[in-house]
Amino acid sequence: MALLQIAEPGQSAAPHQHRLAVGIDLGTTNSLVASVRSGEATTLSDELQRHSLPSVVHYGNDEISVGYDAQSQSATDPANTIVSVKRFMGRSLDDVKASGSQGYSLTASENGLPVFNTAHGQYNPIQVSAEILRPLIERAEKTLGGDLQGAVITVPAYFDDAQRQGTKDAAELLGVKVLRLLNEPTAAAIAYGLDTKQEGVIAIYDLGGGTFDISVLRLNRGVFEVLATGGDSALGGDDFDHLLQAHIQSALGIVEPTIQLNRQIQIEARRVKEALTFADIVTASIESDGQTLSCEITKAQFEQLIAALVKKTISSCRRTLRDAGVSADEVLETVMVGGSTRVPLVREKVADFFKKMPLTSIDPDRVVALGAAIQADILAGNKPDSDLLLLDVLPLSLGIETMGGLVEKVVTRNTTIPVARAQEFTTFKDGQTAMAFHVVQGERELVDDCRSLARFTLKGIPPLAAGAAHIRVTFQVDADGLLSVTAMEKSTEVQTTIQVKPSFGLSDTEIATMLKDSMKHAKDDITRRMLTEQKVEAARVIESLTAALAKDGDLLSAAERSQLDESIKALDTLAQADDSDAIEAAIADLDEQTQDFASKRMDNSIKAALTGQSVDNI
Amino acid sequence: MNYFDLFQFTPAFDINTAQLADRYRDLQRAVHPDKFAHESEQQKLLSVQRTAQINDGYQTLKTPLLRAEHILSLRGLELSHETTTLKDTRFLMQQMEWREALEDINHSSEPQDLIDSLYDSFADFEKNLFTHLTQLLAKDNQADNLLAADQIRKLKFMAKLQDELSRIEDKLLD
């Protein structure tokens, strides 16, 4: 589109400072950090030239270790070594127990979240995830030589609201600004540079350690439009390992393994699985009580074990294509993501279904982080001319509980986000002043079969006859797939923004404790961090407003303009000082003053976007 | 909100969908939240709201059934939360026959053949409904608008049947 770039006077196109931003793939088994350097995305390595960091955290008596160090403790101290924490994210203790607690000592938090009881203390999945992010952020700041402006963190496309919120919370716990939660499959498509080459439909098959995603995208002039997404947030390579583990265990005649032995077999199962990618027969061996037990596993045996799981992924592919309204023949390319796509049976079945060889040229373990880095570079503002735009969809329907435990869908899955939908409710008793809401996510008709996202009560409804009060509840999902809810009683126009408490989120006290805990490690304190955040926001407000005024200042009257200039100056002065509340108030004040101006500018840019279009069409 | 205005189209049932998609992408480029990632919270919120509106408008104009409903709503006929029932007995009889056919699929020896033939019948029937709907909407008078609303109600029945059929097909393939 952008054929001509006309610089405004005073707004020279001088190269601005390069903002440091990274893409992070927070994976079930391994995590990576990548960044765009000299125009090219690369993953960043540690001192030992290792790129991926095992997503493992060991909580010892005195210290916390992460990655390879933690992994080496996994067999000897399994109860204090957390692996695959991503599977616990946004889940309740009951959910987790249903799928096996893997030898951890778990208790429930205030809201029913699982908490790991370790030698080092109690930690929830968000805190464990933050531990995994910490060394990656440190690595990036050291390698890139400066503070990060922000990070793009990838999540499985199929993650629900609670899982996404948990991921974002983990990063924010470390004081990292999340530029965007990016869906892993979309990240992979960016890494392959498909945006620059093609127009048409592509499918991304992403089988990681713990999750399976299938996304169908339409590409057109740099715009990635996700048409449909599907999958299973509890199916991955780990499940292959578990099946193989059970098989090895019974082949070796082990009946009741200790936690340590169990972990040993688990590690051996993974090794055997990986070896079977290149060999037709592999020997599994386990050391137990000074004895070596061993058995042979053939590729055919392994494929028989996992056949049903692979078939399940293909069924998802078929459903997702139908949701997207395209046939398998229309798919131009299939992209393979995730370590588990190395399994030959997986490649074979995917190739059969889509009737073409899938793309595998980029390391499937790194492809997601690389795509995230490219997106982070753009979002940080380093590539103002980029045409790349990602339009994602809501992976699971959002609904509200109605009479009889039924779900009324408010936003259906595969709706492009951001999205806002309003629904009206009315009182059913005379003089009713409060109303309780229960928000759920999922496709099933009964509330009990969906995931509970949040419960809230709307209070202060004017007492009227039954059915006379009209309450308009607006659900808004942002570009990260995160939900917020506002409610308004129509006759009084009283607007209430509801603090939606995620059912499987954190309580306020938990957030405060977590922040305090995280500060113990950082040489920082809460007040200082809040001040820094306010200062950064103030700088952002001033920068964006100054640019807006330079461009569209003529939308304002002279009086409005001078009033604004005053306020900007006032904010600038406050931002030099150390009163974070005063800065916050000044930002809010400026926000209110510029509401109309900002709104008008947005409308103008909408009109301008189409003016070019109509000219093209004449 | 008149979505035809937002996308600068003349309100009509027949629209150029390729042009609609182009305009959608251009609007997204102008307002999507990713374009405001390093701007103030106010800008971000505003962008989320406008983008949500554009997304809604695009879905409405892109989907023939929603587009038809939107046209009627602009003409003052609101169908979205209505409880009016259809009185066309011939149509309802046909629906019942199809429902029975859906139930027969599981007992059939060649279920996929039956599924395919049902997909074809549904598609034919829908095509006729749409042709009729297009003619009625073009006339733009009160009586024909009411008839158009009936066509839309029928098309909604058809959409439900299609969903049902897809669900049955899924179960069969899994």
Side-chain angles (χ1 to χ4, degrees):
Chain A
M1 258 305 280
L3 294 175
L4 283 175
Q5 275 276 315
I6 302 168
E8 293 282 325
Q11 267 208 306
S12 73
H16 59 72
Q17 199 195 350
H18 185 82
R19 295 182 172 100
L20 300 181
V22 292
I24 295 177
D25 173 5
L26 184 59
T28 309
T29 28
N30 287 298
S31 296
L32 285 121
V33 58
S35 186
V36 173
R37 290 190 289 172
S38 321
E40 202 174 334
T42 47
T43 51
L44 308 179
S45 65
D46 64 7
E47 297 85 3
L48 299 171
Q49 305 308 313
R50 297 176 299 200
H51 289 253
S52 68
L53 178 82
S55 304
V56 183
V57 182
H58 177 250
Y59 289 95
N61 284 319
D62 310 314
E63 57 163 20
I64 300 174
S65 59
V66 186
Y68 289 97
D69 296 343
Q71 201 173 38
S72 62
Q73 319 258 16
S74 172
T76 51
D77 189 14
N80 292 313
T81 312
I82 320 293
V83 298
S84 302
V85 69
K86 194 171 178 178
R87 288 192 163 204
F88 293 77
M89 195 66 111
R91 291 282 174 250
S92 71
L93 182 59
D94 292 344
D95 294 335
V96 170
K97 280 195 168 153
S99 58
S101 61
Q102 293 152 3
Y104 302 120
S105 159
L106 295 165
T107 44
S109 77
E110 219 176 295
N111 296 336
L113 283 174
V115 176
F116 298 95
N117 299 309
T118 73
H120 198 273
Q122 293 195 317
Y123 293 95
N124 65 40
I126 295 170
Q127 289 167 302
V128 180
S129 303
E131 281 315 324
I132 300 168
L133 289 173
R134 192 193 303 277
L136 294 174
I137 299 288
E138 283 166 3
R139 183 189 296 181
E141 294 194 329
K142 207 171 144 202
T143 316
L144 303 174
D147 287 346
L148 295 185
Q149 294 285 324
V152 167
I153 300 182
T154 59
V155 289
Y158 215 53
F159 254 23
D160 65 28
D161 185 78
Q163 293 167 308
R164 283 167 196 266
Q165 190 61 61
T167 307
K168 198 171 180 180
D169 287 345
E172 285 176 350
L173 205 54
L174 299 176
V176 173
K177 182 179 157 64
V178 178
L179 294 168
R180 172 87 120 94
L181 292 177
L182 180 61
N183 288 336
E184 288 161 9
T186 322
I190 298 172
Y192 271 98
L194 294 176
D195 53 314
T196 53
K197 291 189 197 111
Q198 307 191 335
E199 296 204 349
V201 178
I202 57 164
I204 296 138
Y205 180 100
D206 179 356
L207 189 60
T211 54
F212 167 65
D213 273 356
I214 169 76
S215 290
V216 180
L217 280 72
R218 187 186 295 284
L219 293 182
N220 191 302
R221 295 186 296 140
V223 179
F224 284 77
E225 191 186 343
V226 179
L227 298 177
T229 182
D232 191 331
S233 59
L235 169 67
D238 285 1
D239 296 298
F240 294 177
D241 296 356
H242 293 156
L243 291 170
L244 195 52
Q245 184 185 346
H247 179 81
I248 293 172
Q249 192 178 315
S250 80
L252 296 179
I254 301 168
V255 185
E256 271 183 28
T258 57
I259 297 178
Q260 279 83 0
L261 187 57
N262 194 52
R263 191 64 70 92
Q264 228 192 97
I265 306 172
Q266 192 183 336
I267 293 165
E268 181 63 0
R270 173 165 302 169
R271 189 194 65 81
V272 170
K273 173 187 76 175
E274 288 169 2
L276 281 172
T277 298
F278 307 102
D280 289 333
I281 190 158
V282 173
T283 306
S285 56
I286 296 290
E287 300 284 331
S288 171
D289 294 332
Q291 272 186 301
T292 306
L293 303 171
S294 61
C295 65
E296 285 188 333
I297 311 286
T298 66
K299 186 182 245 172
Q301 280 172 327
F302 174 60
E303 294 190 339
Q304 203 187 342
L305 287 172
I306 64 167
L309 292 182
V310 177
K311 192 175 172 210
K312 221 171 143 185
T313 67
I314 298 296
S315 295
S316 281
C317 292
R318 195 177 48 239
R319 254 192 299 272
T320 307
L321 279 184
R322 202 193 45 230
D323 286 348
V326 296
S327 67
D329 310 328
E330 284 174 75
V331 176
L332 280 182
E333 297 278 13
T334 320
V335 176
M336 296 294 252
V337 189
S340 306
T341 58
R342 289 202 179 89
V343 174
L345 183 72
V346 171
R347 290 197 180 178
E348 186 190 313
K349 294 294 176 195
V350 172
D352 281 354
F353 178 75
F354 288 102
K355 301 182 192 80
K356 57 187 66 72
M357 287 310 288
L359 292 178
T360 52
S361 62
I362 303 181
D363 180 348
D365 288 327
R366 292 194 199 181
V367 65
V368 167
L370 294 173
I374 295 169
Q375 171 75 344
D377 192 43
I378 294 168
L379 292 183
N382 291 329
K383 279 187 147 181
D385 298 339
S386 170
D387 261 347
L388 181 71
L389 191 61
L390 309 177
L391 309 178
D392 266 317
V393 298
L394 185 73
L396 299 158
S397 303
L398 284 173
I400 213 154
E401 177 171 353
T402 60
M403 296 284 202
L406 295 175
V407 179
E408 177 163 344
K409 284 184 184 161
V410 179
V411 190
T412 53
R413 82 192 151 111
N414 289 328
T415 300
T416 308
I417 50 175
V419 61
R421 285 287 150 76
Q423 191 96 343
E424 281 189 19
F425 298 91
T426 185
T427 47
F428 69 100
K429 270 191 200 150
D430 289 340
Q432 186 179 342
T433 57
M435 199 180 267
F437 294 89
H438 184 199
V439 186
V440 297
Q441 192 159 24
E443 308 315 315
R444 307 280 294 275
E445 283 169 16
L446 292 175
V447 166
D448 290 344
D449 297 329
C450 291
R451 290 195 58 75
S452 169
L453 277 191
R455 288 176 189 277
F456 60 87
T457 306
L458 179 65
K459 292 182 187 131
I461 300 170
L464 298 166
H470 289 274
I471 293 106
R472 192 181 170 84
V473 180
T474 307
F475 295 78
Q476 184 177 284
V477 180
D478 68 13
D480 290 331
L482 295 174
L483 171 73
S484 62
V485 182
T486 52
M488 191 179 78
E489 202 290 305
K490 280 176 81 182
S491 66
T492 52
E493 295 211 351
V494 173
Q495 176 104 16
T496 336
T497 302
I498 306 154
Q499 262 295 246
V500 177
K501 281 243 183 300
S503 303
F504 299 118
L506 301 164
S507 69
D508 290 343
T509 38
E510 280 168 322
I511 292 173
T513 325
M514 279 165 59
L515 266 175
K516 236 183 274 160
D517 282 353
S518 76
M519 298 300 173
K520 273 187 214 149
H521 303 289
K523 295 168 223 90
D524 207 353
D525 63 68
I526 296 180
T527 32
R528 229 182 81 194
R529 183 190 285 183
M530 299 230 287
L531 179 63
T532 314
E533 277 171 11
Q534 289 304 335
K535 285 188 175 188
V536 169
E537 178 65 11
R540 212 176 274 141
V541 168
I542 294 172
E543 188 192 323
S544 116
L545 197 52
T546 311
L549 285 171
K551 206 160 170 250
D552 296 313
D554 52 349
L555 291 172
L556 296 168
S557 71
E560 285 170 328
R561 177 63 194 260
S562 69
Q563 172 79 49
L564 260 189
D565 287 339
E566 282 300 310
S567 302
I568 293 174
K569 217 182 281 168
L571 177 60
D572 196 25
T573 315
L574 283 170
Q576 311 298 325
D578 289 336
D579 184 347
S580 114
D581 290 345
I583 302 175
E584 197 179 353
I587 292 174
D589 177 46
L590 205 50
D591 264 4
E592 207 182 302
Q593 278 184 57
T594 53
Q595 199 68 52
D596 285 345
F597 176 57
S599 189
K600 241 181 246 167
R601 289 191 69 228
M602 199 68 90
D603 286 339
N604 282 352
S605 64
I606 288 176
K607 277 185 205 122
L610 288 191
T611 311
Q613 253 295 319
S614 351
V615 172
D616 290 345
N617 289 322
I618 287 168
Chain B
M1 180 90 211
N2 184 332
Y3 290 135
F4 288 101
D5 280 355
L6 179 65
F7 283 83
Q8 297 184 8
F9 275 103
T10 322
F13 188 63
D14 266 321
I15 62 170
N16 180 339
T17 47
Q19 205 173 64
L20 175 70
D22 275 347
R23 291 186 185 180
Y24 172 63
R25 280 186 287 267
D26 286 335
L27 287 177
Q28 285 285 1
R29 281 206 182 84
V31 299
H32 193 274
D34 282 357
K35 299 285 172 192
F36 300 89
H38 56 282
E39 295 216 24
S40 66
E41 292 301 322
Q42 181 198 44
Q43 286 285 341
K44 280 184 213 165
L45 185 65
L46 203 56
S47 130
V48 168
Q49 289 165 345
R50 293 302 155 92
T51 312
Q53 216 167 43
I54 289 164
N55 280 332
D56 222 20
Y58 180 55
Q59 278 314 314
T60 305
L61 296 189
K62 191 174 79 167
T63 320
L65 196 53
L66 295 178
R67 193 194 315 141
E69 262 191 80
H70 187 55
I71 291 174
L72 285 185
S73 135
L74 293 174
R75 293 176 188 170
L77 213 63
E78 204 60 63
L79 290 181
S80 45
H81 298 292
E82 65 162 17
T83 46
T84 316
T85 44
L86 266 176
K87 289 182 196 75
D88 184 335
T89 34
R90 239 180 73 198
F91 176 79
L92 293 173
M93 287 298 286
Q94 173 71 74
Q95 287 288 309
M96 270 159 70
E97 272 171 38
W98 273 329
R99 292 257 159 217
E100 279 164 22
L102 289 181
E103 280 167 25
D104 289 342
I105 294 173
N106 283 324
H107 311 297
S108 161
S109 53
E110 293 290 343
Q112 194 58 51
D113 290 354
L114 195 52
I115 289 172
D116 290 342
S117 86
L118 279 172
Y119 269 128
D120 288 346
S121 331
F122 293 173
D124 284 347
F125 198 87
E126 267 191 355
K127 208 177 144 201
N128 281 331
L129 287 173
F130 269 120
T131 314
H132 199 188
L133 177 63
T134 313
Q135 291 161 355
L136 291 166
L137 284 173
K139 290 184 186 159
D140 191 7
N141 62 57
Q142 187 64 21
D144 286 315
N145 285 343
L146 287 173
L147 289 174
D150 259 348
Q151 300 297 306
I152 291 174
R153 289 180 193 116
K154 287 180 186 172
L155 282 161
K156 284 183 180 172
F157 269 97
M158 295 309 294
K160 273 191 199 138
L161 271 182
Q162 295 256 25
D163 282 350
E164 199 80 11
L165 184 56
S166 315
R167 239 196 311 265
I168 293 169
E169 191 184 17
D170 269 348
K171 272 206 190 120
L172 214 63
L173 290 167
D174 279 350

